[in-house]
Amino acid sequence: MLLIAANHLQLIVEVAIILIATMIFIINLVPLSLSVVTFLSLFLSGAFTLIFAIDLVMLFTSFGQNEFTHPFGPIALASVITALSSMKVMEESGVNVKGLKKLVYLLLAGITIFGGMMHRSFLVLWIVGLFIGYLVIAKSFREKSILTPKRIILFGVFVVGAFALLQIFSMVSGMEIFSPVLRMQRVETYSGSSLRTVLSSTNLIGHNTSASFWTNDTATGFAEGYVSLPMQFVLFFGLPFPLFFGTLVNQKDTIDYMLSGIFGYAFDFGYLGLIALIVFVLIVIVLGLKILSIYREKREKNNKKYLGKEVLLMGCLSGFIAQSLVGLFIFNRTINGLALLTFLFLAASVLGHIVTVKRH
């Protein structure tokens, strides 16, 4: 009975532990050779390109959409960075990968277009993630820094251009849903009141019960569902937790789902909960970079045993860092709900490398 979660935070922690343990076994027991990891990364990249394209078509045809970019965007990013890392390793080994690189860049362009048109928040995640991914690859292969003045300017022009094209497209098509300006106006309109609620109601642990959506005797003021794992996940196990359903989107007197994650997490779990989250993120990043340096040393000594794990770690670490930055400082939605499960999965995929099982 002690293992049955009593609130949303306990469930999140338990799922995180299970995922980390699972990934440790998978990474150590499944033969993750470079060819296997490359194939999986290309397959997933192609699959996400197709999924995002279908979702966009459903949006255009008013058939409804599933918004797959929010939960699966970081995994798509990890897949593409893993594929790019694999190409780099193969190039260093003298393998001709021109054809595969064209395929990777084609998939990268497809995900950028389809995912970016679907959601502006995904476009932010994608651009930040690619920037981080290329930086990680450059450092891992001891190349010159990609942070040259020319590239920074080009990066800025690309970001502005992408959002400008979306705005023009929304004006020409008459579909305001594609407008970045409308999204920024929405954040300006609703996030201000949410921010005031957070700052005036957050405690060291949890928040004032009077600020809760459930202002009654059952309100606990802690882990009440502003931040949660997928609702279907909670319902499947029949856990008696409060669930918001559409409240965070439709009821603007509660914590807006577009608010930065640091405020959403602070409100639901208190300042100590926010500090714990930041510490967790830093631990994952530091350990990931440390393990990556160990893999690099082995590769440079001509040890090819860990090539598959190395490129997998590059992708997962890049995806995790990008999701953490965007979720914590821009959009709470990027690390909430089903996206929170993705966040934990990527963290587990990084931490899964900390244990090595030796075979005799």
Side-chain angles (χ1 to χ4, degrees), residues 44 48 71-80 319 342 345-346:
L44 288 175
F48 284 122
F72 299 126
I75 299 179
L77 175 63
S79 300
V80 169
T342 297
F345 171 76
L346 288 177

Side-chain angles (χ1 to χ4, degrees), residues 69-201:
T69 51
H70 286 303
F72 299 126
I75 299 179
L77 175 63
S79 300
V80 169
I81 297 300
T82 299
L84 290 171
S85 304
S86 298
M87 300 300 106
K88 191 67 179 177
V89 171
M90 284 189 266
E91 277 183 332
E92 281 202 338
S93 301
V95 179
N96 187 347
V97 294
K98 289 184 178 179
L100 282 178
K101 286 186 75 173
K102 289 180 181 178
L103 174 61
V104 173
Y105 286 130
L106 181 64
L107 295 174
L108 190 155
I111 294 176
T112 303
I113 295 171
F114 301 140
M117 291 184 68
M118 192 67 203
H119 275 291
R120 275 65 62 206
S121 57
F122 169 80
L123 190 58
V124 174
L125 170 78
W126 189 250
I127 294 172
V128 170
L130 289 177
F131 191 75
I132 293 171
Y134 274 106
L135 184 61
V136 169
I137 293 173
K139 292 296 182 182
S140 294
F141 291 93
R142 301 187 187 277
E143 296 179 340
K144 292 182 179 180
S145 174
I146 64 171
L147 297 175
T148 62
K150 181 179 178 181
R151 287 176 176 173
I152 292 175
I153 293 173
L154 288 174
F155 177 76
V157 170
F158 176 75
V159 172
V160 173
F163 281 94
L165 286 174
L166 275 175
Q167 182 63 29
I168 294 171
F169 180 80
S170 69
M171 295 170 65
V172 173
S173 64
M175 300 180 69
E176 290 188 338
I177 191 171
F178 293 109
S179 172
V181 174
L182 181 66
R183 176 66 66 179
M184 287 184 281
Q185 290 174 343
R186 183 198 180 288
V187 173
E188 180 183 2
T189 302
Y190 298 118
S191 293
S193 59
S194 295
L195 184 57
R196 287 191 292 271
T197 300
V198 169
L199 294 178
S200 63
S201 307

Side-chain angles (χ1 to χ4, degrees), residues 304-317:
K304 300 181 180 180
K305 180 180 178 181
Y306 299 96
L307 292 180
K309 293 182 180 180
E310 182 183 9
V311 298
L312 177 63
L313 180 56
M314 287 187 206
C316 292
L317 182 60

Side-chain angles (χ1 to χ4, degrees), residues 200-215:
S200 63
S201 307
T202 302
N203 300 322
L204 199 59
I205 299 177
H207 54 268
N208 297 332
T209 55
S210 60
S212 173
F213 182 74
W214 295 276
T215 317

Side-chain angles (χ1 to χ4, degrees), residues 8-13 15-16 19 70-72 74-75 225-231 233-234 265 268-269 277 280-281 320 323-324 327-328 331-348:
H8 285 283
L9 180 59
Q10 289 185 27
L11 179 63
I12 292 170
V13 172
V15 169
L19 284 174
H70 286 303
F72 299 126
I75 299 179
Y226 291 99
V227 175
S228 70
L229 287 171
M231 295 177 183
F233 192 80
V234 177
Y265 275 76
D268 211 14
F269 306 128
L277 173 64
F280 172 74
V281 170
F320 178 81
Q323 187 179 13
S324 299
L328 285 173
F331 304 113
N332 179 44
R333 192 178 185 183
T334 306
I335 51 173
N336 202 353
L338 187 54
L340 176 55
L341 191 60
T342 297
F343 177 75
L344 296 178
F345 171 76
L346 288 177

Side-chain angles (χ1 to χ4, degrees), residues 23-38 82 85-86 89 288 291-292 295-296 298 304-317 349-350 352-359:
M23 290 309 299
I24 288 174
F25 279 105
I26 291 175
I27 291 172
N28 280 281
L29 299 180
V30 176
L32 295 174
S33 64
L34 181 62
S35 57
V36 170
V37 173
T38 302
T82 299
S85 304
S86 298
V89 171
I291 298 168
L292 203 54
Y295 285 158
R296 180 181 62 191
K298 292 182 180 295
K304 300 181 180 180
K305 180 180 178 181
Y306 299 96
L307 292 180
K309 293 182 180 180
E310 182 183 9
V311 298
L312 177 63
L313 180 56
M314 287 187 206
C316 292
L317 182 60
S349 298
V350 173
H353 293 263
I354 62 177
V355 176
T356 300
V357 177
K358 293 185 178 180
R359 297 179 175 86

